Amino acid sequence: THASLRLQLGGEEFFPAFIQAVQEARRQVDIQLYIFDNDDYAVGLAQLLRQRSMEGVRVRILMDESASLAAATAVPDSPMPADFSPPDDMVNYLRRGSEIGVRCMPMSGLAASHTKIITVDSERAWLGGMNFGREYRYDWHDLMIEVRGPRRRGGRAFERSPERLPS
């Protein structure tokens, strides 16, 4: 079986495809990213992931601790709804009332992980520059590459990590 590649420029192309894949996931969603922000758009993604984890889909998230905390204090360029109140701690928000396995990669020295890899059911994957947050959906134009087809190798970041996430 051959894989196919599709370039997705900006949040308007990437996020609808990602959301659809999460909604259709049968077994697992693994996400490794630099920033999982706490703005209204990121919270909406978190709610979807929490829901899917409670429906029996294994959801695991690796994110950079320092970058996500810094992003939580930044004000996005596009305005959020006036009545939105962000969670203080996105890690606890993701875990609360869900079965999501979340682990922050601590910053050791001056090293940080800027990696963004998403896999859904080992059949769809995305690689590129997109983090989760309002500015990535509406303001920035990062590139993601969607790969479709069965995974043969790679994607083992969760298993290789020193602190394994719950299965």
Side-chain angles (χ1 to χ4, degrees):
T1 306
H2 297 282
S4 66
L5 301 175
R6 188 172 81 131
L7 301 179
Q8 296 171 339
L9 181 59
E12 63 199 31
E13 291 185 26
F14 164 68
F15 283 110
F18 167 72
I19 289 168
Q20 179 182 7
V22 171
Q23 290 169 334
E24 295 172 355
R26 296 176 313 279
R27 295 180 306 280
Q28 61 85 20
V29 176
D30 287 340
I31 300 168
Q32 181 177 353
L33 66 152
Y34 187 56
I35 296 170
F36 201 126
D37 210 336
N38 71 339
D39 58 36
D40 63 318
Y41 196 78
V43 166
L45 295 173
Q47 289 171 343
L48 173 60
L49 294 165
R50 288 167 55 179
Q51 173 191 339
R52 294 311 327 262
S53 79
M54 297 306 293
E55 295 170 349
V57 174
R58 182 181 67 177
V59 178
R60 300 184 296 178
I61 300 171
L62 289 170
M63 60 189 198
D64 187 278
E65 183 174 36
S66 300
S68 293
L69 290 172
T73 63
V75 177
D77 292 338
S78 58
M80 288 193 285
D83 61 345
F84 176 74
S85 178
D88 292 329
D89 182 344
M90 185 52 90
V91 172
N92 286 333
Y93 183 80
L94 285 161
R95 288 178 178 153
R96 188 175 43 246
S98 80
E99 297 293 322
I100 296 178
V102 182
R103 188 168 66 81
C104 289
M105 296 173 281
M107 186 171 156
S108 58
L110 296 176
S113 176
H114 207 274
T115 303
K116 291 107 175 168
I117 301 172
I118 300 167
T119 62
V120 177
D121 289 339
S122 298
E123 296 166 1
R124 290 177 80 176
W126 286 268
L127 313 161
M130 198 70 66
N131 290 298
F132 286 7
R134 171 172 272 284
E135 63 268 32
Y136 302 98
R137 171 58 182 94
Y138 298 109
D139 303 327
W140 294 18
H141 300 287
D142 283 332
L143 176 68
M144 293 298 278
I145 301 170
E146 180 182 6
V147 182
R148 286 184 182 231
R151 184 182 81 188
R152 296 172 192 247
R153 294 186 309 200
R156 302 193 194 279
F158 295 95
E159 287 79 14
R160 283 195 315 253
S161 299
E163 300 169 53
R164 292 186 179 196
L165 293 172
S167 330

